[in-house]
Amino acid sequence: MAKRVVLAYSGGLDTSVAIRWLADQGYEVVTATVDVGEAKDLEAVAQKAMRVGAKDAYVIDAKEEFCSEFLVPAIAANALYQGRYPLATALARPLIARHLCRIADETMAEAISHGCTGKGNDQVRFDVAIETLRPGTRVIAPAREWGLTREEEIAYAQEHGIPVSATVKSPFSVDANLWGRSVEGGVLEDPWQAPPEECYVWTKSPAEAIAQEMVVSFAEGVPISLSGEELPLPFLIAKAAEVAGASGVGRIDLLEDRLVGIKSREIYEAPAAVALIAAHREVEFLTLPRELLQHKVGVEQAFAQVVYNGQWFTPLRAALSAYLSETQKAVTGDVRLALAHGQAVTTGRRSPQAVYDQSLATYSEGDRFDHSAAVGFITIYGMQSQAYARAQAKAKAHAR
Ligand code: ARG
């Protein structure tokens, strides 16, 4: 009986060449294409897998699962790696890995394969997830092993009758899902070089960007409607990307620190993530007490780090998720964003659970704040700094 391998298949050149390469190693190849919202024709991708030499080709619609299990906590965490990158690729990897393991179980495969190189974060995310979920599985990363240059790879493909599409000639390496697109390589490797306009496909340039408003409504931390239209999360995110992208929102040019120690220049387009995180943060400002907001920042950063570093299936991530989910109970309300010139700016927020109380904040009629209480508060609040200043003055006097 042939040994079997489940290959994460995108339809691109690397994983197409991998099908043939694995078959040459004596494997029966089953491909798995996981739909996390890249919006391409995945049936055509599966057909290509079969043409190139796969024994079977699975397509899995995981958009719903991606949203409810991965993006909801990412929104609760306002998750941005190095303060900027919304982690689209990093969030999808563990989900893809889990499907690969499930299909490996179902097809009794001994190995799992992916197209990652030896230089990136994705290999770590896949390998660690697979080792954790399906111990004993052999992980094969052909691109990490074969050492082919891009040109040699194209030659190999042509020799073996593997179709090389026009997009292969594109100098960029792209990964995309519902939460965002990443673009790297080519001229972008020079961090001084401005990103050419063709990097961007989801966002308008500032010059072409339209000015508009968008109202995002949240229930317990989850976006539920856009400008009054209730939508299931996968559709809401796609719609938010379209709207915010038309205003040029979500372009990110980041000099990033990879887990493997390499600094790399990455271009991201994440119009939905940028707009929704901005709006979510705003509902939190309105509905959460100060101490929770301050404490939560540390957990948000830890969560982003853990996701980036491929530690999804760990007790630390589970504990951070539990904390984050607890914080979202009151995060219900609406935020109005003005979208223009590539920026999403808040112009209004409201909530039935607002901690903001106009009768405490007002300088006009109806003020309920007890001004006399402020005097006692200040006396006690300033007590230690006064005591310190007195002690310093005394020490100085003695020294003289
Ligand atoms: N640098 C980003 C990350 O580590 C994006 C990676 C994109 N992956 C890719 N195979 N093109 O999450």
Side-chain angles (χ1 to χ4, degrees):
M1 209 175 75
K3 27 182 205 168
R4 197 167 295 130
V5 61
V6 177
L7 167 70
Y9 184 63
S10 67
L13 180 67
D14 292 337
T15 50
S16 296
V17 168
I19 293 180
R20 180 55 59 91
W21 189 84
L22 289 163
D24 286 348
Q25 316 278 306
Y27 278 102
E28 186 179 290
V29 182
V30 173
T31 62
T33 304
V34 180
D35 183 359
V36 277
E38 193 178 349
K40 66 179 181 191
D41 180 358
L42 298 186
E43 283 314 317
V45 170
Q47 282 165 19
K48 181 170 176 189
M50 299 299 284
R51 267 204 317 280
V52 175
K55 254 270 159 355
D56 208 348
Y58 289 70
V59 173
I60 304 102
D61 180 355
K63 293 192 289 289
E64 176 58 48
E65 211 179 342
F66 185 43
C67 289
S68 60
E69 267 186 73
F70 294 82
L71 299 186
V72 165
I75 293 168
N78 302 308
L80 299 172
Y81 178 68
Q82 294 191 318
R84 313 268 312 278
Y85 164 41
L87 294 158
T89 299
L91 286 159
R93 293 320 189 198
L95 172 59
I96 296 170
R98 191 167 69 196
H99 280 288
L100 295 173
C101 290
R102 177 181 57 78
I103 293 168
D105 281 344
E106 284 170 17
T107 59
M108 293 186 298
E110 63 160 65
I112 289 177
S113 179
H114 56 71
C116 305
T117 68
K119 299 186 75 168
N121 300 311
D122 288 329
Q123 53 169 347
V124 182
R125 297 170 184 149
F126 274 129
D127 291 16
V128 169
I130 294 163
E131 280 163 6
T132 305
L133 298 177
R134 199 167 182 265
T137 303
R138 203 169 147 218
V139 182
I140 310 172
R144 197 164 53 192
E145 289 176 31
W146 65 37
L148 296 181
T149 64
R150 195 71 177 161
E151 294 70 30
E152 288 164 346
E153 203 184 346
I154 292 174
Y156 179 100
Q158 280 161 348
E159 247 167 67
H160 291 80
I162 298 167
V164 179
S165 68
T167 56
V168 164
K169 317 238 152 65
S170 147
F172 305 120
S173 158
V174 175
D175 182 65
N177 64 47
L178 265 179
W179 206 227
R181 263 179 100 239
S182 77
V183 189
E184 51 190 32
V187 294
L188 300 174
E189 287 175 4
D190 174 359
W192 177 247
Q193 183 83 45
E197 197 54 34
E198 75 243 36
C199 286
Y200 298 111
V201 301
W202 290 3
T203 53
K204 288 266 183 270
S205 71
E208 286 176 85
I210 60 168
Q212 57 188 326
E213 275 185 351
M214 177 164 89
V215 176
V216 190
S217 304
F218 292 83
E220 298 189 13
V222 181
I224 51 164
S225 79
L226 274 192
S227 302
E229 187 186 1
E230 271 186 46
L231 290 166
L233 201 44
F235 294 92
L236 185 146
I237 291 171
K239 185 72 193 280
E242 201 182 294
V243 175
S247 296
V249 171
R251 293 186 173 190
I252 298 158
D253 179 341
L254 183 61
L255 203 294
E256 175 172 317
D257 279 292
R258 289 189 185 166
L259 178 58
V260 295
I262 297 171
K263 280 190 185 286
S264 76
R265 197 274 190 96
E266 308 269 339
I267 299 299
Y268 297 106
E269 279 190 291
V274 167
L276 294 176
I277 289 174
H280 176 262
R281 221 180 217 142
E282 211 58 46
V283 192
E284 290 194 329
F285 289 154
L286 183 62
T287 58
L288 298 185
R290 171 181 60 189
E291 290 74 14
L292 178 52
L293 280 174
Q294 286 169 350
H295 190 270
K296 186 174 178 282
V297 171
V299 176
E300 293 175 351
Q301 284 169 359
F303 181 87
Q305 193 84 33
V306 156
V307 169
Y308 188 82
N309 291 349
Q311 296 174 312
W312 186 268
F313 298 110
T314 62
L316 173 56
R317 199 279 308 159
L320 296 172
S321 287
Y323 173 107
L324 290 164
S325 146
E326 175 67 27
T327 62
Q328 297 302 294
K329 289 180 176 165
V331 184
T332 295
D334 308 322
V335 172
R336 188 177 54 241
L337 297 175
L339 308 170
H341 311 296
Q343 301 294 320
V345 177
T346 304
T347 60
R349 71 290 274 158
R350 64 182 174 197
S351 167
Q353 302 194 52
V355 175
Y356 174 85
D357 181 342
Q358 192 167 356
S359 71
L360 293 179
T362 186
Y363 288 102
S364 308
E365 207 136 317
D367 183 5
R368 287 200 309 107
F369 183 75
D370 179 357
H371 292 240
S372 66
V375 179
F377 166 76
I378 292 163
T379 305
I380 294 172
Y381 182 71
M383 202 163 61
Q384 284 214 354
S385 47
Q386 279 181 33
Y388 181 82
R390 275 198 308 272
Q392 289 300 306
K394 210 160 117 194
K396 230 184 199 165
H398 268 292
R400 253 189 254 121

